[in-house]
Amino acid sequence: DGKIGINESSPAVFGVHSSQSSESVYYRADSGSVDTIFGSSTALGYAIAGTTSNHDLTLWANNAERLRITSAGQLLHGHNASIGLGRDFETSSTSGYGGIAINRFSADTGSGGLDFVKSRNASLGGNTIVQSDDNIGAITWRGADGTDFATPAAQIKVAVDGTPGSNDMPGRIVFYTTADGASSVTERLRIDSSGRVLIGSTAKAGDSALQVYTSDQLHPAIRTNSPNSNGYTMFGDAYQADESNVN
């Protein structure tokens, strides 16, 4: 009936049965440099597919590589090499559809999500409480500068903003941009755990909900004016300390 069984008396079409706790099918190229295994084990509780040597594992579709797991454990989508940022997952594309979509379809108020998790435990899955000022997650935007992709243009970062405890995690969100001629980001705005908005400073003064600082005495910290220049409002230092102008 065309069925093939290796150590298997009743194969569906093609079957290999092994009593070993590792691979069931083992392949070695003529050069002997790349070993490929496939298998599964009830004792291990999972299936196995991959390489036993120091080589990448690739998945192909339509005669082209689509996905790669490097020997170091990086997952690369759309490219056969990392661009050098050291992230565990990278997706690369030359099309207008490059990116990641997070979709959810449900008749409720829920949505798709993206979670950043931080623990002070050095073991995977370990739950050791974080401390104030620990960074929890960041989103960074970078552009090619003719040398590499390392220089950031802007960043949003979240950090612990106080003393955490069981079911208590005070946090702040901070916005950064890189100035012209600079190679690193500078903080521009933060929202702290109490909801205060600080612009131009990391130190709060009092309980004001919006606090704006400037070290430039020639220009106001806040300025509003109409497009026809009939009038404007300025708040901040001019040449005299604590001087405010309303015109």
Side-chain angles (χ1 to χ4, degrees), residues 118-149:
K118 160 71 176 179
S119 171
R120 276 205 166 234
N121 197 304
S123 299
L124 294 177
N127 188 350
T128 299
I129 192 169
V130 292
Q131 300 177 14
S132 185
D133 294 326
D134 281 1
N135 293 318
I136 296 178
I139 302 174
T140 305
W141 288 262
R142 306 177 191 271
D145 61 5
T147 300
D148 53 31
F149 307 98

Side-chain angles (χ1 to χ4, degrees), residues 9-25:
S9 60
S10 301
V13 177
F14 175 79
V16 179
H17 178 263
S18 173
S19 60
Q20 302 297 317
S21 60
S22 56
E23 67 274 359
S24 296
V25 179

Side-chain angles (χ1 to χ4, degrees), residues 42-123:
T42 302
L44 293 175
Y46 53 81
I48 302 171
T51 64
T52 61
S53 49
N54 187 26
H55 292 83
D56 297 351
L57 174 66
T58 63
L59 296 178
W60 289 55
N62 195 25
N63 200 35
E65 179 182 327
R66 305 301 181 183
L67 194 68
R68 173 180 293 252
I69 302 176
T70 70
S71 58
Q74 282 185 295
L75 179 61
L76 308 179
H77 170 263
H79 192 24
N80 59 13
S82 170
I83 64 172
L85 298 179
R87 300 302 186 186
D88 290 333
F89 171 68
E90 294 181 18
T91 177
S92 303
S93 175
T94 58
S95 75
Y97 297 99
I100 300 174
I102 301 176
N103 308 314
R104 172 170 172 166
F105 304 89
S106 58
D108 53 33
T109 59
S111 67
L114 180 65
D115 289 349
F116 296 83
V117 178
K118 160 71 176 179
S119 171
R120 276 205 166 234
N121 197 304
S123 299

Side-chain angles (χ1 to χ4, degrees), residues 168-245:
D168 175 19
M169 190 58 59
R172 64 174 176 264
I173 183 168
V174 186
F175 297 81
Y176 302 80
T177 63
T178 300
D180 188 18
S183 60
S184 60
V185 296
T186 299
E187 178 177 330
R188 307 300 185 185
L189 181 150
R190 72 168 52 192
I191 304 173
D192 68 15
S193 58
S194 66
R196 282 183 287 256
V197 178
L198 308 180
I199 301 175
S201 176
T202 62
K204 56 184 178 289
D207 296 326
S208 300
L210 174 62
Q211 301 179 25
V212 183
Y213 300 83
T214 180
S215 58
D216 185 355
Q217 293 188 342
L218 298 180
H219 300 91
I222 300 177
R223 178 172 183 167
T224 62
N225 63 290
S226 62
N228 56 17
S229 299
N230 288 333
Y232 57 84
T233 303
M234 297 191 305
F235 300 92
D237 290 340
Y239 291 100
Q240 302 294 326
D242 301 324
E243 179 179 339
S244 298
N245 301 301

